[in-house]
Amino acid sequence: MWWYVGKRLLQTIPVFLGATLILFSLLKLRPGDPILNLAGNKPVSQEVRDALAAQYNLDDPLFVQWVLFVKNAITFNFGETFSGQPVFDLIKDTFPVTVVLAVMALAIDAILGIILGTLAGLRRNGAFDTVVLVISLILISVPIFVVGFVAQLTFGVKLQWVPATVGGDWTLSELVLPAIVLAVANFAYTIRLTRTSVAENLTADHVRTARAKGLSNRLVVRNHVLRNSLVPVVTYLGINLGALMAGAIITETIFNIPGVGNTAFLAIQRGETSTVVAIVTFMVMVYVLMSLLVDLLYAVLDPRIRYV
Protein backbone atom coordinates (compact mmCIF):
# COMPACT_ATOMS: atom_id res chain seq x y z
CA MET A 1 0.00 0.00 0.00
CA TRP A 2 2.88 2.38 0.74
CA TRP A 3 4.07 1.99 -2.85
CA TYR A 4 0.62 3.07 -4.00
CA VAL A 5 0.68 6.10 -1.66
CA GLY A 6 4.14 7.12 -2.90
CA LYS A 7 3.03 6.77 -6.52
CA ARG A 8 -0.03 8.93 -5.89
CA LEU A 9 2.06 11.59 -4.15
CA LEU A 10 4.41 11.72 -7.11
CA GLN A 11 1.40 12.43 -9.32
CA THR A 12 0.88 15.69 -7.43
CA ILE A 13 4.02 17.14 -9.07
CA PRO A 14 2.58 17.42 -12.63
CA VAL A 15 -0.75 18.50 -11.11
CA PHE A 16 1.00 21.33 -9.27
CA LEU A 17 2.95 22.43 -12.33
CA GLY A 18 -0.03 22.25 -14.66
CA ALA A 19 -2.40 24.04 -12.28
CA THR A 20 -0.03 26.93 -11.64
CA LEU A 21 0.75 27.39 -15.33
CA ILE A 22 -2.94 27.41 -16.29
CA LEU A 23 -3.75 29.87 -13.51
CA PHE A 24 -0.95 32.23 -14.54
CA SER A 25 -2.17 32.11 -18.13
CA LEU A 26 -5.81 32.78 -17.24
CA LEU A 27 -5.06 35.61 -14.82
CA LYS A 28 -2.94 37.38 -17.40
CA LEU A 29 -5.97 37.46 -19.69
CA ARG A 30 -8.09 39.42 -17.19
CA PRO A 31 -8.62 43.10 -18.00
CA GLY A 32 -7.19 45.88 -15.85
CA ASP A 33 -3.82 47.15 -14.72
CA PRO A 34 -2.56 45.66 -11.42
CA ILE A 35 -0.29 48.67 -10.83
CA LEU A 36 -3.27 51.03 -11.02
CA ASN A 37 -5.15 48.74 -8.63
CA LEU A 38 -2.18 48.91 -6.29
CA ALA A 39 -2.18 52.71 -6.45
CA GLY A 40 -5.93 52.95 -5.92
CA ASN A 41 -6.61 53.87 -9.57
CA LYS A 42 -4.69 57.13 -9.15
CA PRO A 43 -2.17 58.43 -11.70
CA VAL A 44 1.22 56.76 -11.33
CA SER A 45 4.51 58.19 -12.54
CA GLN A 46 6.71 56.14 -14.82
CA GLU A 47 9.40 55.86 -12.15
CA VAL A 48 6.94 54.45 -9.62
CA ARG A 49 5.46 52.14 -12.25
CA ASP A 50 8.88 50.77 -13.14
CA ALA A 51 9.77 50.24 -9.47
CA LEU A 52 6.53 48.35 -8.75
CA ALA A 53 6.84 46.28 -11.90
CA ALA A 54 10.38 45.29 -10.93
CA GLN A 55 9.36 44.50 -7.34
CA TYR A 56 6.54 42.18 -8.37
CA ASN A 57 8.08 40.92 -11.66
CA LEU A 58 5.12 42.31 -13.59
CA ASP A 59 7.15 43.15 -16.68
CA ASP A 60 8.67 39.69 -17.01
CA PRO A 61 7.25 37.26 -19.59
CA LEU A 62 4.54 34.92 -18.37
CA PHE A 63 6.79 31.87 -18.42
CA VAL A 64 9.49 33.65 -16.41
CA GLN A 65 6.95 34.72 -13.78
CA TRP A 66 5.70 31.15 -13.56
CA VAL A 67 9.21 29.70 -13.18
CA LEU A 68 10.03 32.20 -10.43
CA PHE A 69 6.80 31.34 -8.63
CA VAL A 70 7.45 27.58 -8.79
CA LYS A 71 11.04 28.04 -7.63
CA ASN A 72 9.96 30.06 -4.58
CA ALA A 73 6.93 27.86 -3.85
CA ILE A 74 9.20 24.85 -3.29
CA THR A 75 10.47 26.62 -0.15
CA PHE A 76 6.93 27.85 0.73
CA ASN A 77 7.88 31.37 -0.29
CA PHE A 78 4.82 32.59 -2.19
CA GLY A 79 5.91 36.21 -2.24
CA GLU A 80 4.05 39.18 -0.80
CA THR A 81 0.69 40.82 -1.41
CA PHE A 82 0.49 44.38 -2.68
CA SER A 83 0.07 45.47 0.95
CA GLY A 84 3.38 43.84 1.89
CA GLN A 85 2.01 40.83 3.81
CA PRO A 86 3.64 37.46 3.04
CA VAL A 87 1.19 35.31 1.09
CA PHE A 88 2.03 32.26 3.20
CA ASP A 89 1.04 34.15 6.37
CA LEU A 90 -2.15 35.27 4.62
CA ILE A 91 -3.08 31.67 3.82
CA LYS A 92 -2.21 30.58 7.36
CA ASP A 93 -4.50 33.27 8.82
CA THR A 94 -7.47 32.65 6.53
CA PHE A 95 -7.33 28.88 6.02
CA PRO A 96 -8.71 27.85 9.48
CA VAL A 97 -12.07 29.58 9.01
CA THR A 98 -12.46 28.00 5.55
CA VAL A 99 -11.69 24.54 7.00
CA VAL A 100 -14.23 25.03 9.81
CA LEU A 101 -16.86 26.23 7.33
CA ALA A 102 -16.20 23.32 4.94
CA VAL A 103 -16.25 20.71 7.73
CA MET A 104 -19.53 22.08 9.10
CA ALA A 105 -21.05 22.02 5.61
CA LEU A 106 -19.76 18.49 5.02
CA ALA A 107 -21.22 17.30 8.35
CA ILE A 108 -24.64 18.70 7.41
CA ASP A 109 -24.30 17.21 3.95
CA ALA A 110 -23.23 13.76 5.17
CA ILE A 111 -25.62 13.32 8.09
CA LEU A 112 -28.81 14.53 6.43
CA GLY A 113 -27.89 13.28 2.97
CA ILE A 114 -27.07 9.71 4.04
CA ILE A 115 -30.06 9.41 6.41
CA LEU A 116 -32.63 10.77 3.95
CA GLY A 117 -31.03 8.98 0.99
CA THR A 118 -31.04 5.66 2.85
CA LEU A 119 -34.68 6.02 3.87
CA ALA A 120 -35.63 6.97 0.31
CA GLY A 121 -33.73 3.98 -1.09
CA LEU A 122 -35.39 1.57 1.36
CA ARG A 123 -38.80 3.00 0.42
CA ARG A 124 -38.14 3.26 -3.31
CA ASN A 125 -41.08 4.49 -5.41
CA GLY A 126 -43.01 5.37 -2.26
CA ALA A 127 -44.41 8.73 -1.16
CA PHE A 128 -41.33 9.58 0.95
CA ASP A 129 -39.02 8.71 -1.92
CA THR A 130 -40.97 10.95 -4.31
CA VAL A 131 -40.95 13.91 -1.93
CA VAL A 132 -37.21 13.57 -1.29
CA LEU A 133 -36.43 13.39 -5.02
CA VAL A 134 -38.53 16.49 -5.76
CA ILE A 135 -36.91 18.48 -2.95
CA SER A 136 -33.41 17.44 -4.02
CA LEU A 137 -34.16 18.41 -7.63
CA ILE A 138 -35.31 21.87 -6.50
CA LEU A 139 -32.15 22.34 -4.43
CA ILE A 140 -29.95 21.35 -7.35
CA SER A 141 -31.77 23.74 -9.69
CA VAL A 142 -31.35 26.87 -7.54
CA PRO A 143 -27.91 28.58 -7.86
CA ILE A 144 -25.96 28.84 -4.61
CA PHE A 145 -25.68 32.63 -4.79
CA VAL A 146 -29.48 32.87 -4.91
CA VAL A 147 -29.78 30.57 -1.87
CA GLY A 148 -27.13 32.62 -0.07
CA PHE A 149 -28.75 36.01 -0.65
CA VAL A 150 -32.26 34.72 0.17
CA ALA A 151 -31.03 33.03 3.38
CA GLN A 152 -29.09 36.14 4.39
CA LEU A 153 -32.07 38.42 3.77
CA THR A 154 -34.61 36.11 5.43
CA PHE A 155 -32.79 34.79 8.50
CA GLY A 156 -30.19 37.51 8.97
CA VAL A 157 -31.99 40.75 8.07
CA LYS A 158 -35.73 40.10 8.38
CA LEU A 159 -35.96 37.53 11.19
CA GLN A 160 -32.56 38.38 12.75
CA TRP A 161 -32.08 34.82 13.97
CA VAL A 162 -28.42 34.87 12.99
CA PRO A 163 -25.91 37.63 12.08
CA ALA A 164 -26.30 38.75 8.47
CA THR A 165 -22.51 38.89 8.04
CA VAL A 166 -19.62 37.24 9.85
CA GLY A 167 -16.68 39.66 9.84
CA GLY A 168 -13.20 39.25 11.32
CA ASP A 169 -14.00 37.97 14.84
CA TRP A 170 -15.94 34.94 13.68
CA THR A 171 -17.56 32.32 15.91
CA LEU A 172 -19.01 28.88 15.21
CA SER A 173 -22.58 30.12 15.67
CA GLU A 174 -22.04 32.77 12.99
CA LEU A 175 -20.89 30.11 10.51
CA VAL A 176 -24.02 27.94 10.85
CA LEU A 177 -26.08 29.75 8.19
CA PRO A 178 -23.19 29.99 5.67
CA ALA A 179 -22.46 26.29 6.25
CA ILE A 180 -26.08 25.39 5.51
CA VAL A 181 -26.01 27.49 2.32
CA LEU A 182 -22.74 25.87 1.25
CA ALA A 183 -24.14 22.38 1.93
CA VAL A 184 -27.47 22.84 0.11
CA ALA A 185 -26.52 21.87 -3.43
CA ASN A 186 -24.11 19.11 -2.36
CA PHE A 187 -26.67 17.80 0.12
CA ALA A 188 -29.10 17.18 -2.74
CA TYR A 189 -26.50 15.17 -4.70
CA THR A 190 -25.67 13.10 -1.60
CA ILE A 191 -29.34 12.20 -1.15
CA ARG A 192 -29.75 11.06 -4.74
CA LEU A 193 -26.46 9.13 -4.78
CA THR A 194 -27.22 7.35 -1.50
CA ARG A 195 -30.77 6.58 -2.57
CA THR A 196 -29.66 5.05 -5.88
CA SER A 197 -26.86 3.03 -4.28
CA VAL A 198 -29.09 1.62 -1.51
CA ALA A 199 -31.85 0.72 -3.97
CA GLU A 200 -29.39 -1.13 -6.21
CA ASN A 201 -27.82 -3.08 -3.35
CA LEU A 202 -31.21 -4.17 -2.03
CA THR A 203 -31.60 -6.38 -5.10
CA ALA A 204 -28.01 -7.70 -5.10
CA ASP A 205 -27.32 -11.45 -4.84
CA HIS A 206 -25.45 -11.23 -1.54
CA VAL A 207 -28.41 -9.42 0.05
CA ARG A 208 -30.85 -12.11 -1.12
CA THR A 209 -28.49 -14.75 0.25
CA ALA A 210 -28.35 -12.99 3.62
CA ARG A 211 -32.14 -12.87 3.79
CA ALA A 212 -32.33 -16.55 2.83
CA LYS A 213 -30.07 -17.38 5.78
CA GLY A 214 -32.67 -15.90 8.09
CA LEU A 215 -30.89 -12.69 9.07
CA SER A 216 -33.11 -9.91 10.38
CA ASN A 217 -33.86 -6.95 8.17
CA ARG A 218 -31.83 -4.65 10.44
CA LEU A 219 -28.71 -6.81 10.12
CA VAL A 220 -29.15 -7.17 6.38
CA VAL A 221 -29.46 -3.41 5.90
CA ARG A 222 -26.60 -2.55 8.27
CA ASN A 223 -24.06 -5.19 7.30
CA HIS A 224 -24.82 -5.93 3.66
CA VAL A 225 -26.67 -2.98 2.16
CA LEU A 226 -25.25 0.10 3.85
CA ARG A 227 -21.63 -0.99 3.88
CA ASN A 228 -21.55 -1.55 0.13
CA SER A 229 -23.76 1.43 -0.60
CA LEU A 230 -21.47 3.83 1.25
CA VAL A 231 -18.47 3.21 -1.02
CA PRO A 232 -19.58 5.64 -3.78
CA VAL A 233 -21.03 8.02 -1.18
CA VAL A 234 -17.73 8.20 0.74
CA THR A 235 -15.98 8.84 -2.57
CA TYR A 236 -18.24 11.80 -3.24
CA LEU A 237 -18.10 13.18 0.32
CA GLY A 238 -14.33 12.87 0.62
CA ILE A 239 -13.61 14.65 -2.63
CA ASN A 240 -16.41 17.08 -1.82
CA LEU A 241 -14.55 18.33 1.26
CA GLY A 242 -11.80 19.63 -0.98
CA ALA A 243 -14.40 21.01 -3.38
CA LEU A 244 -16.22 22.77 -0.52
CA MET A 245 -13.03 24.51 0.61
CA ALA A 246 -12.13 25.47 -2.94
CA GLY A 247 -15.68 26.47 -3.86
CA ALA A 248 -16.48 28.53 -0.76
CA ILE A 249 -15.61 31.76 -2.55
CA ILE A 250 -19.26 32.64 -3.27
CA THR A 251 -20.49 31.86 0.23
CA GLU A 252 -17.58 33.61 1.91
CA THR A 253 -18.08 36.69 -0.25
CA ILE A 254 -21.83 36.89 0.45
CA PHE A 255 -21.42 36.56 4.23
CA ASN A 256 -18.12 38.50 4.42
CA ILE A 257 -16.25 35.55 5.90
CA PRO A 258 -12.48 36.15 6.26
CA GLY A 259 -11.57 32.85 4.62
CA VAL A 260 -9.43 31.70 1.74
CA GLY A 261 -12.22 32.05 -0.82
CA ASN A 262 -13.01 35.66 0.04
CA THR A 263 -9.29 36.46 0.13
CA ALA A 264 -8.84 34.99 -3.36
CA PHE A 265 -11.80 37.02 -4.64
CA LEU A 266 -10.31 40.27 -3.31
CA ALA A 267 -6.89 39.35 -4.74
CA ILE A 268 -8.46 38.80 -8.18
CA GLN A 269 -10.05 42.25 -8.01
CA ARG A 270 -6.67 43.81 -7.17
CA GLY A 271 -4.86 41.87 -9.88
CA GLU A 272 -2.48 40.10 -7.45
CA THR A 273 -1.56 37.19 -9.68
CA SER A 274 0.93 35.53 -7.31
CA THR A 275 -1.50 35.69 -4.40
CA VAL A 276 -4.35 34.15 -6.40
CA VAL A 277 -2.13 31.41 -7.85
CA ALA A 278 -0.71 30.56 -4.41
CA ILE A 279 -4.15 30.30 -2.81
CA VAL A 280 -5.74 28.31 -5.62
CA THR A 281 -2.72 26.00 -5.90
CA PHE A 282 -2.88 25.37 -2.18
CA MET A 283 -6.55 24.39 -2.52
CA VAL A 284 -5.72 22.13 -5.47
CA MET A 285 -3.19 20.27 -3.31
CA VAL A 286 -5.81 19.89 -0.57
CA TYR A 287 -8.21 18.46 -3.16
CA VAL A 288 -5.58 15.96 -4.37
CA LEU A 289 -4.74 14.80 -0.83
CA MET A 290 -8.43 14.35 -0.01
CA SER A 291 -8.77 12.19 -3.13
CA LEU A 292 -5.90 10.02 -1.89
CA LEU A 293 -7.47 9.60 1.56
CA VAL A 294 -10.76 8.58 -0.05
CA ASP A 295 -8.99 5.90 -2.09
CA LEU A 296 -7.41 4.51 1.08
CA LEU A 297 -10.82 4.42 2.81
CA TYR A 298 -12.07 2.03 0.14
CA ALA A 299 -10.13 -0.81 1.75
CA VAL A 300 -11.84 -0.13 5.07
CA LEU A 301 -15.35 -0.17 3.61
CA ASP A 302 -14.76 -3.03 1.16
CA PRO A 303 -12.25 -5.75 2.25
CA ARG A 304 -12.06 -6.99 -1.35
CA ILE A 305 -10.13 -3.85 -2.34
CA ARG A 306 -6.34 -4.11 -2.00
CA TYR A 307 -3.67 -1.65 -3.10
CA VAL A 308 -0.35 -2.94 -4.39
Side-chain angles (χ1 to χ4, degrees):
M1 185 179 72
W2 292 111
W3 169 252
Y4 174 80
V5 173
K7 185 170 62 175
R8 286 293 301 272
L9 291 177
L10 287 176
Q11 292 175 0
T12 62
I13 297 177
V15 171
F16 168 77
L17 296 176
T20 53
L21 182 57
I22 292 173
L23 288 170
F24 261 97
S25 303
L26 292 177
L27 288 172
K28 285 301 177 182
L29 295 176
R30 67 178 296 275
D33 187 349
I35 294 181
L36 287 180
N37 292 333
L38 178 60
N41 290 321
K42 297 180 180 179
V44 180
S45 65
Q46 189 61 41
E47 292 77 9
V48 174
R49 175 179 290 274
D50 293 340
L52 292 174
Q55 180 180 353
Y56 295 102
N57 303 312
L58 297 178
D59 285 344
D60 292 333
L62 172 65
F63 184 76
V64 174
Q65 293 185 42
W66 174 69
V67 171
L68 291 173
F69 174 83
V70 172
K71 178 183 176 181
N72 294 328
I74 295 175
T75 59
F76 295 98
N77 177 18
F78 297 110
E80 295 182 349
T81 65
F82 286 169
S83 61
Q85 182 182 10
V87 176
F88 184 80
D89 292 343
L90 181 65
I91 295 176
K92 186 172 61 176
D93 294 338
T94 57
F95 187 60
V97 61
T98 299
V99 172
V100 173
L101 177 65
V103 170
M104 291 175 64
L106 186 70
I108 297 171
D109 179 8
I111 294 173
L112 295 180
I114 291 177
I115 291 176
L116 294 179
T118 300
L119 294 176
L122 294 175
R123 295 167 173 80
R124 187 173 184 178
N125 299 325
F128 181 82
D129 180 32
T130 303
V131 171
V132 167
L133 288 179
V134 171
I135 293 176
S136 64
L137 184 60
I138 294 174
L139 294 178
I140 293 173
S141 303
V142 180
I144 187 172
F145 66 87
V146 174
V147 177
F149 282 123
V150 170
Q152 185 183 50
L153 178 63
T154 303
F155 301 105
V157 178
K158 299 294 185 181
L159 299 177
Q160 297 184 353
W161 289 356
V162 293
T165 59
V166 176
D169 299 327
W170 58 277
T171 61
L172 289 178
S173 59
E174 292 176 331
L175 294 178
V176 172
L177 183 60
I180 293 175
V181 171
L182 187 59
V184 163
N186 300 288
F187 159 70
Y189 285 111
T190 304
I191 290 178
R192 299 174 74 89
L193 180 61
T194 306
R195 179 252 184 196
T196 302
S197 185
V198 169
E200 288 179 353
N201 279 282
L202 279 174
T203 59
D205 293 338
H206 66 276
V207 173
R208 287 196 293 266
T209 302
R211 294 187 188 279
K213 290 180 178 179
L215 294 180
S216 65
N217 187 62
R218 176 180 296 181
L219 289 176
V220 171
V221 171
R222 186 185 65 186
N223 296 337
H224 298 279
V225 176
L226 277 183
R227 186 166 184 175
N228 291 282
S229 300
L230 287 179
V231 172
V233 178
V234 168
T235 303
Y236 173 74
L237 291 176
I239 296 178
N240 197 33
L241 178 59
L244 286 173
M245 288 189 287
I249 180 171
I250 297 177
T251 306
E252 290 184 358
T253 303
I254 293 173
F255 292 95
N256 192 31
I257 300 174
V260 173
N262 194 17
T263 302
F265 174 74
L266 296 175
I268 293 173
Q269 287 185 320
R270 293 190 294 264
E272 298 182 19
T273 302
S274 297
T275 303
V276 177
V277 173
I279 292 175
V280 176
T281 302
F282 182 77
M283 302 310 299
V284 169
M285 293 298 103
V286 171
Y287 190 91
V288 171
L289 291 177
M290 288 305 304
S291 177
L292 174 60
L293 291 177
V294 168
D295 288 347
L296 297 179
L297 280 176
Y298 285 167
V300 177
L301 292 173
D302 193 342
R304 297 172 297 176
I305 298 176
R306 291 290 183 269
Y307 295 111
V308 295

mmCIF file of all heavy atoms in Angstrom, residues 13 19 37 95 123 141 183 186 198 206 234 264 268 273 282 288 291:
data_model
loop_
_atom_site.group_PDB
_atom_site.id
_atom_site.type_symbol
_atom_site.label_atom_id
_atom_site.label_comp_id
_atom_site.label_asym_id
_atom_site.label_seq_id
_atom_site.Cartn_x
_atom_site.Cartn_y
_atom_site.Cartn_z
ATOM 1 N N ILE A 13 3.040 16.223 -8.469
ATOM 2 C CA ILE A 13 4.019 17.136 -9.071
ATOM 3 C C ILE A 13 3.517 17.694 -10.398
ATOM 4 O O ILE A 13 3.462 18.919 -10.582
ATOM 5 C CB ILE A 13 5.382 16.435 -9.228
ATOM 6 C CG1 ILE A 13 5.935 16.065 -7.856
ATOM 7 C CG2 ILE A 13 6.360 17.335 -9.979
ATOM 8 C CD1 ILE A 13 7.248 15.294 -7.910
ATOM 9 N N ALA A 19 -1.418 23.114 -12.854
ATOM 10 C CA ALA A 19 -2.399 24.036 -12.278
ATOM 11 C C ALA A 19 -1.852 25.453 -12.195
ATOM 12 O O ALA A 19 -2.545 26.421 -12.547
ATOM 13 C CB ALA A 19 -2.802 23.550 -10.884
ATOM 14 N N ASN A 37 -4.411 49.273 -9.785
ATOM 15 C CA ASN A 37 -5.148 48.740 -8.635
ATOM 16 C C ASN A 37 -4.353 48.941 -7.351
ATOM 17 O O ASN A 37 -4.910 49.265 -6.301
ATOM 18 C CB ASN A 37 -5.442 47.259 -8.839
ATOM 19 C CG ASN A 37 -6.426 47.017 -9.967
ATOM 20 O OD1 ASN A 37 -7.254 47.870 -10.266
ATOM 21 N ND2 ASN A 37 -6.329 45.863 -10.618
ATOM 22 N N PHE A 95 -6.975 30.270 6.289
ATOM 23 C CA PHE A 95 -7.325 28.876 6.020
ATOM 24 C C PHE A 95 -8.168 28.244 7.130
ATOM 25 O O PHE A 95 -9.100 27.476 6.828
ATOM 26 C CB PHE A 95 -6.058 28.056 5.790
ATOM 27 C CG PHE A 95 -6.309 26.651 5.335
ATOM 28 C CD1 PHE A 95 -6.989 26.387 4.162
ATOM 29 C CD2 PHE A 95 -5.872 25.567 6.087
ATOM 30 C CE1 PHE A 95 -7.224 25.098 3.742
ATOM 31 C CE2 PHE A 95 -6.105 24.269 5.677
ATOM 32 C CZ PHE A 95 -6.782 24.035 4.502
ATOM 33 N N ARG A 123 -37.374 2.828 0.768
ATOM 34 C CA ARG A 123 -38.796 3.004 0.419
ATOM 35 C C ARG A 123 -38.930 3.466 -1.036
ATOM 36 O O ARG A 123 -39.710 4.370 -1.339
ATOM 37 C CB ARG A 123 -39.440 4.022 1.353
ATOM 38 C CG ARG A 123 -39.489 3.578 2.804
ATOM 39 C CD ARG A 123 -39.837 4.727 3.737
ATOM 40 N NE ARG A 123 -40.043 4.294 5.101
ATOM 41 C CZ ARG A 123 -39.066 4.041 5.949
ATOM 42 N NH1 ARG A 123 -37.803 4.187 5.578
ATOM 43 N NH2 ARG A 123 -39.337 3.655 7.196
ATOM 44 N N SER A 141 -31.435 22.786 -8.639
ATOM 45 C CA SER A 141 -31.767 23.744 -9.689
ATOM 46 C C SER A 141 -31.496 25.194 -9.287
ATOM 47 O O SER A 141 -31.273 26.045 -10.155
ATOM 48 C CB SER A 141 -33.244 23.598 -10.083
ATOM 49 O OG SER A 141 -33.531 22.275 -10.491
ATOM 50 N N ALA A 183 -23.832 23.812 1.999
ATOM 51 C CA ALA A 183 -24.143 22.382 1.930
ATOM 52 C C ALA A 183 -25.370 22.073 1.080
ATOM 53 O O ALA A 183 -25.580 20.901 0.722
ATOM 54 C CB ALA A 183 -24.368 21.833 3.343
ATOM 55 N N ASN A 186 -24.796 20.394 -2.531
ATOM 56 C CA ASN A 186 -24.111 19.114 -2.356
ATOM 57 C C ASN A 186 -24.973 18.120 -1.588
ATOM 58 O O ASN A 186 -24.923 16.917 -1.845
ATOM 59 C CB ASN A 186 -22.794 19.348 -1.607
ATOM 60 C CG ASN A 186 -21.871 20.289 -2.352
ATOM 61 O OD1 ASN A 186 -21.300 19.949 -3.364
ATOM 62 N ND2 ASN A 186 -21.748 21.503 -1.855
ATOM 63 N N VAL A 198 -28.355 2.519 -2.422
ATOM 64 C CA VAL A 198 -29.092 1.624 -1.514
ATOM 65 C C VAL A 198 -30.117 0.801 -2.292
ATOM 66 O O VAL A 198 -30.254 -0.416 -2.091
ATOM 67 C CB VAL A 198 -29.782 2.446 -0.405
ATOM 68 C CG1 VAL A 198 -30.770 1.580 0.375
ATOM 69 C CG2 VAL A 198 -28.745 3.023 0.544
ATOM 70 N N HIS A 206 -25.898 -10.969 -2.909
ATOM 71 C CA HIS A 206 -25.448 -11.230 -1.541
ATOM 72 C C HIS A 206 -26.493 -10.808 -0.516
ATOM 73 O O HIS A 206 -26.563 -11.375 0.582
ATOM 74 C CB HIS A 206 -24.120 -10.514 -1.268
ATOM 75 C CG HIS A 206 -24.222 -9.015 -1.291
ATOM 76 N ND1 HIS A 206 -24.167 -8.283 -2.454
ATOM 77 C CD2 HIS A 206 -24.368 -8.115 -0.294
ATOM 78 C CE1 HIS A 206 -24.268 -6.994 -2.164
ATOM 79 N NE2 HIS A 206 -24.391 -6.862 -0.853
ATOM 80 N N VAL A 234 -18.969 7.736 0.102
ATOM 81 C CA VAL A 234 -17.734 8.204 0.735
ATOM 82 C C VAL A 234 -16.813 8.830 -0.303
ATOM 83 O O VAL A 234 -16.122 9.822 -0.030
ATOM 84 C CB VAL A 234 -17.045 7.047 1.477
ATOM 85 C CG1 VAL A 234 -15.627 7.433 1.886
ATOM 86 C CG2 VAL A 234 -17.848 6.657 2.700
ATOM 87 N N ALA A 264 -9.148 35.175 -1.945
ATOM 88 C CA ALA A 264 -8.839 34.985 -3.361
ATOM 89 C C ALA A 264 -9.664 35.923 -4.237
ATOM 90 O O ALA A 264 -9.157 36.478 -5.222
ATOM 91 C CB ALA A 264 -9.088 33.533 -3.760
ATOM 92 N N ILE A 268 -8.145 38.734 -6.750
ATOM 93 C CA ILE A 268 -8.464 38.801 -8.181
ATOM 94 C C ILE A 268 -8.855 40.223 -8.573
ATOM 95 O O ILE A 268 -8.438 40.738 -9.613
ATOM 96 C CB ILE A 268 -9.593 37.811 -8.523
ATOM 97 C CG1 ILE A 268 -9.103 36.365 -8.359
ATOM 98 C CG2 ILE A 268 -10.096 38.037 -9.943
ATOM 99 C CD1 ILE A 268 -10.196 35.336 -8.522
ATOM 100 N N THR A 273 -1.656 38.497 -9.050
ATOM 101 C CA THR A 273 -1.556 37.188 -9.680
ATOM 102 C C THR A 273 -0.914 36.153 -8.765
ATOM 103 O O THR A 273 -1.433 35.041 -8.606
ATOM 104 C CB THR A 273 -0.743 37.293 -10.985
ATOM 105 O OG1 THR A 273 -1.378 38.226 -11.862
ATOM 106 C CG2 THR A 273 -0.650 35.942 -11.671
ATOM 107 N N PHE A 282 -2.778 25.991 -3.501
ATOM 108 C CA PHE A 282 -2.885 25.369 -2.180
ATOM 109 C C PHE A 282 -4.172 24.557 -2.065
ATOM 110 O O PHE A 282 -4.167 23.431 -1.556
ATOM 111 C CB PHE A 282 -2.833 26.449 -1.098
ATOM 112 C CG PHE A 282 -2.885 25.924 0.307
ATOM 113 C CD1 PHE A 282 -1.768 25.357 0.895
ATOM 114 C CD2 PHE A 282 -4.060 25.991 1.033
ATOM 115 C CE1 PHE A 282 -1.821 24.863 2.188
ATOM 116 C CE2 PHE A 282 -4.126 25.508 2.323
ATOM 117 C CZ PHE A 282 -3.000 24.944 2.907
ATOM 118 N N VAL A 288 -6.291 17.176 -3.975
ATOM 119 C CA VAL A 288 -5.577 15.961 -4.371
ATOM 120 C C VAL A 288 -5.359 15.043 -3.170
ATOM 121 O O VAL A 288 -5.540 13.815 -3.257
ATOM 122 C CB VAL A 288 -4.235 16.333 -5.030
ATOM 123 C CG1 VAL A 288 -3.380 15.091 -5.252
ATOM 124 C CG2 VAL A 288 -4.469 17.043 -6.359
ATOM 125 N N SER A 291 -8.506 13.290 -2.199
ATOM 126 C CA SER A 291 -8.769 12.191 -3.128
ATOM 127 C C SER A 291 -7.974 10.951 -2.749
ATOM 128 O O SER A 291 -8.479 9.819 -2.820
ATOM 129 C CB SER A 291 -8.433 12.635 -4.551
ATOM 130 O OG SER A 291 -8.603 11.572 -5.468
#
